[in-house]
Structure formats: structure tokens, C-alpha cells
Amino acid sequence: MQHETEASLVGHEYEVEVGPVAHGGHCVARTDAGRVLFVRHALPGERVVARVTEGESTSRFLRADAVQVLEASKDRVEAPCPFSGPGKCGGCDWQHAKPGAQRRLKGEVIAEQLMRLAGLTPEEAGWDGTVVPADGDKLPAGEVPAWRTRVQYAVDAEGHAGLRKHRSHEVEVIDRCLIAAPGVSELGIEKREWPQMASVEAIAASGSGDRQVILTPRPGGRLPIVELDKPVSVLRIGEKDKQVHPVHGRAFVRERADGRTYRVGEGGFWQVHPQAADMLVKAVMQGLMPRKGDMALDLYCGVGLFAGALAERIGDKGAVLGIESGKRAVEDARHNLKDLDRVRIEQGKVEQVLPRTRIEEADLIVLDPPRAGAGKQTVRHLASLGARRIAYVACDPAALARDLAYFAEEGYKPVKLRAFDFFPMTHHVECVAILKPVAKEL
């Protein structure tokens, strides 16, 4: 029940000057009365008409869309995708910005989060301020890199596939996703109907040509007969157990990175940009500089990407322990690295398993935590192991900055930070931070 002093401001319009970019794919503006607006589809320095999409008269801030641009930024372009814009698909945040501007905006967000949450300037974090695009994504304005190898389509009540609108369960029906990788687009998910389905996930492995479709029926819904032009494995999400069950073909796809093939089962995690895994391995290994005989940890190890790369470099006298909470991911990691006797994979949450191992020291640590970050307790434990170098792979700059602050309390500082634009047209960015003990100048 709404409080008697509250009134919805949804639909109300303000003419505002757009201020700096903020974390999350929007920019900050203020009304003449000083109310804060988080405005999507705008760029810093523009003057726009912002229409409120969420918020009440008592809200600390309002969310809004720029529905009219009165004074445009030099970085603005017409959105290449017809489904991008106010009230439409929520998948892309920066379709209206030039590619170089998108990377600058992401860099500004990283710098702001580092300073606000970790008290670090870019220089103090070992970062030159640039966000590096993947090779092949360096395209002129107006051209969209087709990079997304995994796309989850929502299905509306009529069985049409589309993508969710921003912060909404509503479906924007589409006929093509411009950022979908060719292997996904070739499946033609948008061109057929999916009756009784809640969602359809399409996967196109970048290294093997494997394709997979994962179907989630609505309650009581029956699976359709799937006939696609390309060879494809079909899986379904069980209505009762919510587990993935093979219907046709393999229950996994094969991905390639760093010269190895990795089995990724049942919709498990793998980087969605086809070049991301190789580029991240390279950045992590260059930062860690593994030596023969090292003892290394790979935390939140997934299907074993970094554990495999470390094991190849530390030799037979070294050892790698990987820890991962997902049962199927652990099975895949053990399969993927079965030829490397020096690798052991344990299942469970890092904060629970790592203390049970009774490991008291490690030479190298790599961690790739979920979006929320590792947290203070885990950081404290890692710092106590005395690793000469730690590689932190982060998909969220705010979580990275918070954990860097915790590491600083424990005597570790970043000496190198790299940022990668593996998610063009969106606000997402990937970072790799290399840390070492303050007392040890290596």
C-alpha cells in the first residue's frame, strides 16, 4: 500500500543537463530542484528531455530515459539496432555512442569506482586508463561487432522470441540481435515460434563449431519438435528439478583456449566473447609469471581454464588446486585436466573449502569470483598465504575496487591493472588486476 505522501513520478519529464557516466549503463543528471536522475540513452554533456521510468516523490533518486535529445554530444551516433532505445530491449546500453566513446565511458566508471571504493588513482592501481577492445572488434561507428556466443531469449505469451526490456519482465520481440555471434544468428531462433516455452538459450562454441539450444518450458508446457538448419544439441530445463536434461545430441559444448580443449556442460559458464578466454589467460599469465615448481591456487575455477594454463607452465614438480562450487563444472574441470596429474579440483564454496585444505602458503593465486566479488573474509585468508603474486579477474569494477581495499588492509597492492571491452554496446567490462605484497618488491 502506497504511503499517503508518496506519488509515482513515472512518466514525468524533466529537461536536464547530463552529467558524468555512472556504473550501470546510465549517466547522472539533476533536476532544477536538485533531484538525482539516472538517465539511460544519454551521454555526458548533452541536454535532454528525461522521462521517469521508476521512482516516487519520496525516492532518493529516479530512473529515467532520454526520450528527446536537445543538444547532442559529438560522441552520439544513431543506434544501429532498431530494437535499441527508450522502452525497448534492455540488452545494450551504449548503442547510441561511438565505439571509442563507449570504451572511454567504461574507463571513467572504472576510475571512479577505484577512487571511491579503494581510494586508488589509476596510476596507483597500475592502470594506464585505457579499455582495450578485442581484436576484430575495432570497427567504425555504425558497425556492430557480433561477439555474443551465448544468448538467452525470452519468449512471450504468443511464442515469439525476444529479449527483456530494461529492468522489466516484458519481452521486446526481435527479428535479429546484432551483437549475437554468427553461430547463434544462424540458428534462427527469432524466426520461428516457441509455443509453451518460457525461454530459449542459444550457444555457439567459438572453438569447435558446437551449437546448443536449451529450452525452458512454461509450467506444464510441452517441448516443441526442434528442427534447425544447423547440427545442434537440444537440452531442456526440468520443470520439477530445474536441472538440464539432454533431449538430442551432446550435453556439452567444446571450447578452445590456450591450446587446450575444454568441455563446458549443460549451459555452464564460459566467456561469451570468442576471444576473451585466450586474452584473459594471456593477461593473467603475463602478470603472474609462473615458475617451475610453483604451488598455485585457482579459485572459482569453473571448468578449469586458469588451472590448465598454470599447470602447463609450472611443470611436473608444481601443483595447482582449483576450487569451484558448481557440481557439473567440477566434473568438467576434472575431465578437462585429467592429463595433468599435478592438478586437483575440489568442489564447494571457496570460503568453506580453502580452510579445510589446511594450505598455509601458496606461490601464486588466481581468483575469478562472481559479480559480488570475493569479500573481506576470503581476501584476508588469501593474503595470509603469502603468495608472491595474485591475479584478480573481475567482471564488475565495483566489486574489484571493494576487494582491492580489503587486500590493501592485508598488505597487498595492485601493480598492474588491465581493462578489456569484451562486451561492446553494453556497460559491462572485464578487468585483470595483478597484486603483490607491499613489503616485497619483485
Side-chain angles (χ1 to χ4, degrees), residues 153 176-177 180-191 202 204 209 211 228-231:
Y153 298 88
R176 182 189 175 196
C177 175
V184 169
S185 296
E186 290 168 3
L187 292 175
I189 302 298
E190 310 96 328
K191 295 178 173 59
R211 291 176 173 86
L228 299 167
D229 295 336
K230 302 289 182 179

Side-chain angles (χ1 to χ4, degrees), residues 32-96:
D32 291 340
R35 184 183 294 273
V36 174
L37 300 178
F38 289 140
V39 186
R40 282 173 57 84
H41 310 291
L43 292 172
E46 293 187 327
R47 188 162 189 83
V48 305
V49 175
R51 180 181 298 156
V52 176
T53 57
E54 291 181 46
E56 298 168 341
S57 58
T58 56
S59 301
R60 285 194 307 114
F61 60 85
L62 306 174
R63 298 184 184 274
D65 283 341
V67 294
Q68 184 180 357
V69 180
L70 304 176
E71 297 176 15
S73 165
K74 61 180 176 58
D75 291 324
R76 177 173 286 274
V77 295
E78 184 176 352
C81 178
F83 306 107
S84 175
K88 298 182 180 180
C89 171
C92 290
D93 310 292
W94 300 120
Q95 288 258 353
H96 58 287

Side-chain angles (χ1 to χ4, degrees), residues 70-197:
L70 304 176
E71 297 176 15
S73 165
K74 61 180 176 58
D75 291 324
R76 177 173 286 274
V77 295
E78 184 176 352
C81 178
F83 306 107
S84 175
K88 298 182 180 180
C89 171
C92 290
D93 310 292
W94 300 120
Q95 288 258 353
H96 58 287
K98 294 178 182 178
Q102 294 180 36
R103 293 191 288 272
R104 287 199 306 274
L105 292 170
K106 295 180 187 190
E108 290 172 13
V109 168
I110 295 170
E112 190 271 339
Q113 296 295 305
L114 287 173
M115 177 53 69
R116 185 168 65 86
L117 299 176
L120 294 171
T121 65
E123 293 76 14
E124 290 169 334
W127 180 43
D128 64 6
T130 62
V131 177
V132 179
D135 295 336
D137 286 354
K138 301 172 185 177
L139 301 175
E143 294 187 29
V144 179
W147 56 269
R148 193 172 185 89
T149 59
R150 296 170 180 236
V151 178
Q152 183 160 13
Y153 298 88
V155 180
D156 69 8
E158 286 72 45
H160 301 127
L163 299 170
R164 299 285 185 191
K165 298 182 179 181
H166 182 61
R167 294 176 62 85
S168 171
H169 292 294
E170 290 187 50
V171 178
E172 176 76 16
V173 176
I174 65 173
D175 57 26
R176 182 189 175 196
C177 175
L178 292 186
I179 65 172
V184 169
S185 296
E186 290 168 3
L187 292 175
I189 302 298
E190 310 96 328
K191 295 178 173 59
R192 61 163 294 166
E193 294 185 355
W194 300 92
Q196 304 183 62
M197 295 298 104

